Amino acid sequence: MQRARSVRWAGAVALVLAVVGCTTPHRDRALPAPTASAPTDCAYPRYEFTPDVRTETLTYVTPAVTLTAPDGGPVDFSHALAVRPLTATAVSSAGDADARNAYDAFVRQSRTPGLPEFGKPLKPYSNPTVGVGKPGRFLGYAFNWVITSSFVRHCAGTGAGRPDAVGSVTSFQADFPLAGTVNCAEPTGESGREAARLMCGTYA
């Protein structure tokens, strides 16, 4: 009789353990990592820009030519070389789409007229010749004013005074390239001296 009870008790214990084994999760099984949520777009951005910085930037130079006539002669710009190809652009820590939005906002609030659209490059300098009225070794050059500014972006919901993105914009006065000639023996002006260093071997 005692033997029969022991057998029935052992069977019940085995059944309970089997049920527990089926319903209890394995402790050594790794749980899936939570999926990171995608960043949300800023529907109502507000940009604050630092004051514009305008930099005289050499953009084109011609090969140096020697003029021997007493009254000089023309300097041909048809073979001008691009020193710095400029493009209207911006960068933002919030990505490319926000960079374009920031650039457009900068153009709207800028007091400089004629700024190019985002992504637009500087057109090649088109004036064919520039005259020089005396003999010597000369080259032609052109420069543009490059305009830069940094910004912070505030997005609705982030709280006042808490920017959620930063970046910078770069633009230029596309319609106002300034051109001239440089006497290799006496270069003057910031862009003129740089042009002479490049094309005349004058390290002034």
Side-chain angles (χ1 to χ4, degrees):
M1 184 67 177
Q2 183 67 28
R3 178 181 175 82
R5 289 180 178 175
S6 298
V7 171
R8 286 196 300 271
W9 175 252
V13 170
L15 179 61
V16 170
L17 291 176
V19 171
V20 171
C22 292
T23 58
T24 302
H26 295 290
R27 294 183 179 275
D28 59 351
R29 181 179 298 174
L31 297 177
T35 303
S37 59
T40 57
D41 292 333
C42 180
Y44 303 103
R46 178 173 60 86
Y47 299 96
E48 294 183 7
F49 296 93
T50 59
D52 298 358
V53 176
R54 293 163 52 89
T55 306
E56 180 181 324
T57 303
L58 180 68
T59 48
Y60 288 96
V61 293
T62 71
V65 295
T66 300
L67 305 176
T68 58
D71 58 350
V75 175
D76 184 9
F77 269 80
S78 62
H79 301 293
L81 307 173
V83 179
R84 295 181 181 88
L86 304 178
T87 301
T89 189
V91 294
S92 171
S93 61
D96 294 342
D98 185 66
R100 179 162 192 158
N101 291 338
Y103 182 87
D104 292 343
F106 174 76
V107 171
R108 287 193 299 269
Q109 62 85 49
S110 177
R111 292 178 292 180
T112 302
L115 294 181
E117 297 178 356
F118 181 85
K120 187 175 181 179
L122 175 67
K123 293 180 180 179
Y125 186 75
S126 58
N127 286 3
T129 60
V130 174
V132 177
K134 61 181 181 179
R137 190 162 180 251
F138 295 88
L139 62 89
Y141 73 99
F143 71 88
N144 289 74
W145 290 104
V146 173
I147 302 168
T148 57
S149 176
S150 300
F151 68 85
V152 294
R153 185 188 78 173
H154 300 269
C155 191
T158 61
R162 294 179 57 192
D164 72 331
V166 296
S168 62
V169 299
T170 301
S171 191
F172 52 90
Q173 288 188 263
D175 297 333
F176 299 98
L178 302 177
T181 58
V182 174
N183 186 337
C184 289
E186 300 174 343
T188 60
E190 181 178 344
S191 292
R193 286 191 293 270
E194 182 180 358
R197 287 193 294 269
L198 289 174
M199 307 306 290
C200 302
T202 302
Y203 299 100

